[in-house]
Structures are given as structure tokens and as C-alpha cells.
Amino acid sequence: MKKLGSRSSTSDVLQDKNLTGRTIVITGSNCGIGFEAAQALASAGAKVIFACRNIEKGEDALNRCKALHPQSNLAFFPLDLASADSIKQFCNDIKDETIDTLICNAGLMPTDYQETKEGLEMTVGVCHFGHFLLSTLLLPQLLKAKTASGKAARIVMLSSESHRMPATLNFNKFPLKKTDRYSSLTAYGQAKLCNALFANELQRRYQDKGLTACSLHPGSLITTSFGRDSGVLSLLFKLVSPLTKSPNQGAATTVYCASHENTEQLAGKYFSHCKPVRSSKEANNPVAAKKLWDVSEEWVKTLTN
């Protein structure tokens, strides 16, 4: 097999792999690296469930994937990670599916302060709290899949090298509030740190029950729709695009973590360029990970009160 690295494509990763019988849910799979991961995994035989906020774009992505791989097994269900009701409805919609893998890919970086429907700062609300609720609601299905297949189910969290800033997660200003001095970069850094912490805490809590969790950095400034709300960001992304990965190359590490046969080599690790690398000290802080879990659980409880 070709040695994998920073310029590897999803095809390089999936060479000679057959994922028939696997069912994989991918959030934010209508564009960018999410779509590239979805179509690649579908090409290898996996059933792929597209989970996207915009119904029109989600259905279009499914149709584009079907055109690329006519024999693929695909489904689409709407999912808005900024709405707890939408997350609950999505989980109900797929309650009869045997899910082997959940890829928490969806993300955003608003340039101004915005809130989810439950009043959380949007970046952390979607990237962490939305994925926390989704993951915990789907845990019974994931653990059941392990029992049925004998292989560990997995949750793959898309983090980023941005998780290194902030150096620590300040729970006194988490999530950021409108009254705080809002910075989109700070909010994004918080969110990506949460992704790594959440993956590590999932691994600690559920490794003995048949779940593997890991996090990853897809690549720097990949051409995505992140800049759609900002002309400055769009221009910046365009200027640096010759130095960055393509969306397909950016999806390679996601596909690697979703398809790698030895889950023990994934467990609790952080990946970049299709190989494990060291994440920040805070990302590996079990105290911070547990506190984040507790804070997230408290938020979930407020939804039923």
C-alpha cells in the first residue's frame, strides 16, 4: 500500500478496502471535506447517511454522490446541530439503523456573535454541544452495533490544530456570551479543543463497552464553505489555496479514522496527515475532559426541564 501522508487522497486511504455492511453517519456532508469523505466511504461499499441542515443541499449532495457511485447505498435526513429538537428528531428518524460509525464533521465559524436556538454561542453550540447531544443519543445504537458485529463501533471527531489556542479551556467564559469580548477565533479554538476533549472522554468512559473514539486535524485552511459569511475570509482562503490541501486530500484523515481496521490504534488518539500526532496538553487533561462532560450533561438536562 502507498505510504500515506499530507498529500494522500481518499482513494489512497481506501485502496483495497471493502466497507460493505458498515453504516456511517456523517454530519455536514453536503460540501467540502464532509462530502468528499461521504462519497469516498460510499465508493468502498459503506452505507452512508448524510446528515445536513439544509434539506435542498443535503438531497443535492446525495444525488451527486449517487451519480459518482450508482451502486452506493445512501440516505439523507435533515439535521440542524443548532437545534436540540432537530437533533432529537434526526435520532428518531434513524432509530432503526445499525450504526457502526459516527463522523462529527459539521462545523462553522461565524464572524460575529450568534446563538443556537437554545441560546448557546453558535460555534461551540454547533461544534461541541450539538455533537455531544447527537453522540450521546446515538450511543445505544453504536454500542449495539459492536455487540452485533463483534467489532468496536467508533466516533470520529473533527478537531483542528486550532485546538491549541486557547491553551486551557476557561470554563468561566465557556461558551462565550454576548457580553464577553467576542472573538470568532477564540470561539473556534474553544470548539475544536472541546472536540478533542470529548473524544478522549468518550474513549475513557466507553472503551470497555465496545466504543472507540478519536479526533483529527484535517489540514490547514482547506477550501470549504467556512468563508461564506465573510468576504475577507473568502479572499484569504482563495489566496492561500495553492498552499493547502484539496477537499479530497482534507478528507483523507477522516476516511482513514473511519476505515482503519485496527481500532486499538485509533483509541483516544489525535490524527493529522493520516497518522497519530501529539495533541495539546489541555486536550489530554482528564480533569478538563470530565468537567466538559459534566457541563454538557447539565445542558442536556435543561432541555427536559
Side-chain angles (χ1 to χ4, degrees):
M1 182 177 179
K2 181 179 178 181
K3 185 177 180 180
L4 302 177
S6 63
R7 293 297 172 182
S8 294
S9 68
T10 57
S11 296
D12 295 331
V13 173
L14 291 171
Q15 186 177 353
D16 300 325
K17 288 191 177 181
N18 186 342
L19 303 181
T20 301
R22 298 270 300 278
T23 299
I24 302 173
V25 175
I26 310 181
T27 67
S29 42
N30 59 289
C31 64
I33 59 177
F35 176 77
E36 290 297 329
Q39 68 84 17
L41 293 165
S43 74
K47 177 177 181 179
V48 176
I49 297 177
F50 288 71
C52 314
R53 178 178 58 86
N54 186 294
I55 294 176
E56 182 179 350
K57 291 180 179 178
E59 291 178 341
D60 176 67
L62 184 146
N63 291 331
R64 284 187 285 127
C65 186
K66 197 71 175 178
L68 290 170
H69 313 294
Q71 304 304 315
S72 56
N73 188 0
L74 310 172
F76 163 73
F77 296 97
L79 171 66
D80 182 357
L81 288 163
S83 164
D85 286 341
S86 176
I87 296 168
K88 292 175 183 177
Q89 183 59 55
F90 174 83
C91 292
N92 185 64
D93 289 341
I94 65 169
K95 66 181 185 299
D96 295 326
E97 296 282 353
T98 301
I99 302 166
D100 303 280
T101 302
L102 169 62
I103 300 176
C104 296
N105 165 81
L108 77 174
M109 191 172 69
T111 54
D112 58 341
Y113 181 86
Q114 298 179 28
E115 292 183 346
T116 67
K117 292 184 179 179
E118 284 72 43
L120 298 170
E121 186 278 317
M122 182 69 79
T123 310
V124 167
V126 167
C127 296
H128 170 65
F129 285 96
H131 278 134
F132 179 89
L133 179 59
L134 175 69
S135 300
T136 51
L137 288 177
L138 292 180
L139 266 173
Q141 282 164 267
L142 286 157
L143 297 177
K144 184 179 178 181
K146 189 271 176 183
T147 303
S149 67
K151 296 181 180 180
R154 65 190 83 185
I155 295 179
V156 178
M157 302 295 306
L158 265 79
S159 181
S160 162
E161 281 296 278
S162 295
H163 85 274
R164 301 183 190 278
M165 296 181 293
T168 59
L169 188 56
N170 181 357
F171 285 95
N172 293 322
K173 291 188 176 182
F174 173 78
L176 295 174
K177 295 181 174 58
K178 196 171 186 177
T179 52
D180 294 323
R181 182 179 293 180
Y182 180 75
S183 162
S184 59
L185 291 176
T186 299
Y188 189 69
Q190 284 186 337
K192 297 295 101 178
L193 176 56
C194 286
N195 292 152
L197 285 166
F198 180 43
N200 289 344
E201 187 67 9
L202 276 168
Q203 183 65 36
R204 278 188 283 270
R205 288 174 181 251
Y206 292 98
Q207 60 186 348
D208 294 335
K209 298 180 180 180
L211 180 75
T212 293
C214 63
S215 57
L216 66 93
H217 169 56
S220 299
L221 289 173
I222 296 162
T223 305
T224 68
S225 57
F226 262 29
R228 62 181 176 265
D229 296 326
S230 168
V232 174
L233 280 178
S234 295
L235 177 60
L236 174 62
F237 278 34
K238 187 174 293 185
L239 289 173
V240 301
S241 61
L243 306 175
T244 64
K245 292 184 179 185
S246 69
N248 187 271
Q249 290 169 332
T253 304
T254 299
V255 171
Y256 177 86
C257 291
S259 63
H260 190 61
E261 294 179 5
N262 189 337
T263 53
E264 291 183 2
Q265 294 177 355
L266 302 173
K269 292 184 173 64
Y270 173 71
F271 289 81
S272 180
H273 304 326
C274 301
K275 61 183 179 182
V277 297
R278 186 165 181 79
S279 54
S280 73
K281 182 178 179 180
E282 182 76 345
N284 291 284
N285 181 350
V287 176
K290 182 182 183 302
K291 186 167 184 179
L292 176 63
W293 186 285
D294 292 342
V295 167
S296 305
E297 272 196 332
E298 285 300 313
W299 171 72
V300 171
K301 289 178 183 177
T302 66
L303 302 176
T304 58
N305 293 337

